[in-house]
Amino acid sequence: MQPYSPSNLVEQLSRNSTPYHDPLAKIHWDLLTTDQFWLPPEAISLHGVPAFMALPEELRRRLSQYEFLNFVDAGLWLEGIFMERIVHTMRSRRNDRANLRYRLHELREEAGHSLMFVELMERSGLATPPRRLPRFLLADIFGRHAPMESAGFWLAILLGEEMPDRLNRYLRRHDADICPTIVEMSTAHIIDEARHIAYALEVLRGRLLDLSTPARLFLKPLVQKMISQFVELFYYPRPELYESAGLKPGGSWARAARSNPGRAAFVGQCLEPTLQLLRDRGFDLRRHRAVT
Ligand SMILES: [Fe+2]
Ligand SMILES: [Fe+2]
């Protein structure tokens, strides 16, 4: 398989990544406070559930902070996979200089995002339960083991960038409702991610042109499953997270989130542009349904 060949877009993206804007240095960390919501109330998994809405605002706010940390924690894991693969391809002599340069820009930017995530975790003073990834997480399998120049790899990367980006965009549209430091984090991420997504789409365009019909048919259910797993990871916190936020027993709150029609509608709204992007590329996918 030939490596992706350079285009004007790649050169342009590299130019746009210069100068580097370090989120760690740019963000106003002194404005971070747990006295404000970290997610707009409508973006909390239990929003609309009567028992949750009846809780004091302090507890609802606390859950928004834990749910944002859950989102950040998943981002840290995803960025780690991507950075690992970028470093790995540097050993390949097939890398042309334009792509190598751009991938190094991405590496620097993803490292900046991960540093910003770690900074938030530390400054929050909130202890999240240890992350437990499902055993057969397709994004993990594709991200670590699919050849870096394959359609499968770039589909996993695209989903891993697109899906959190939609939530970041929602946060930014509702910035009046949340802590300004969190808005700054989302903004910094969206700006870099626009380039990363443009690059992933460009590479994927070439890869999908090469894809045979049987390969496409093979990939479709895997992409569908990958989306479901990302939805679970980003939008449906595990019981331990509710417990850490002071909502006990965590299992019954987690079940309440899964059967919350407001949550399903919110997820559907965030997911729709990503599904459309894939439909435009020949992957006709269903909408996700929470496992209740
Ligand atoms: Fe990132
Ligand atoms: Fe990215």
Side-chain angles (χ1 to χ4, degrees), residues 10-24:
V10 180
E11 309 274 8
Q12 184 61 51
L13 291 172
S14 282
R15 280 195 292 278
N16 293 353
S17 283
T18 315
Y20 173 64
H21 298 286
D22 180 4
L24 205 56

Side-chain angles (χ1 to χ4, degrees), residues 232-271:
E232 295 295 312
L233 204 65
F234 290 125
Y235 291 103
Y236 290 97
R238 57 207 186 282
E240 298 91 314
L241 196 98
Y242 292 101
E243 297 248 346
S244 299
L247 270 65
K248 296 174 184 175
S252 63
W253 287 108
R255 281 190 297 279
R258 284 171 185 284
S259 53
N260 177 11
R263 185 57 165 178
F266 178 78
V267 172
Q269 172 197 334
C270 289
L271 197 56

Side-chain angles (χ1 to χ4, degrees), residues 162-178:
E162 252 285 319
M163 291 178 62
D165 189 57
R166 295 293 161 186
L167 189 57
N168 275 322
R169 284 172 188 273
Y170 182 90
L171 259 66
R172 211 170 156 220
R173 284 199 300 278
H174 298 81
D175 58 350
D177 302 340
I178 51 177

Side-chain angles (χ1 to χ4, degrees), residues 75 79 109-111 113-114 116-117 161 189 192-193 196:
E79 294 189 341
E109 288 159 4
E110 296 299 11
H113 302 160
S114 291
M116 144 179 111
F117 292 162
E161 301 205 301
H189 213 162
D192 290 345
E193 226 48 37
H196 300 183

Side-chain angles (χ1 to χ4, degrees), residues 41-90:
E42 301 72 26
I44 301 173
S45 62
L46 293 166
H47 182 75
V49 171
F52 177 69
M53 302 307 277
L55 292 176
E57 182 179 307
E58 191 190 338
L59 265 177
R60 287 184 280 126
R61 215 167 46 215
R62 182 50 54 97
L63 183 62
S64 81
Q65 291 151 5
Y66 274 90
E67 289 198 6
F68 187 75
L69 286 173
N70 183 53
F71 176 54
V72 155
D73 195 37
L76 202 57
W77 158 74
L78 266 168
E79 294 189 341
I81 294 180
F82 193 36
M83 288 192 280
E84 187 181 313
R85 292 305 297 273
I86 292 175
V87 170
H88 204 76
T89 56
M90 289 177 67

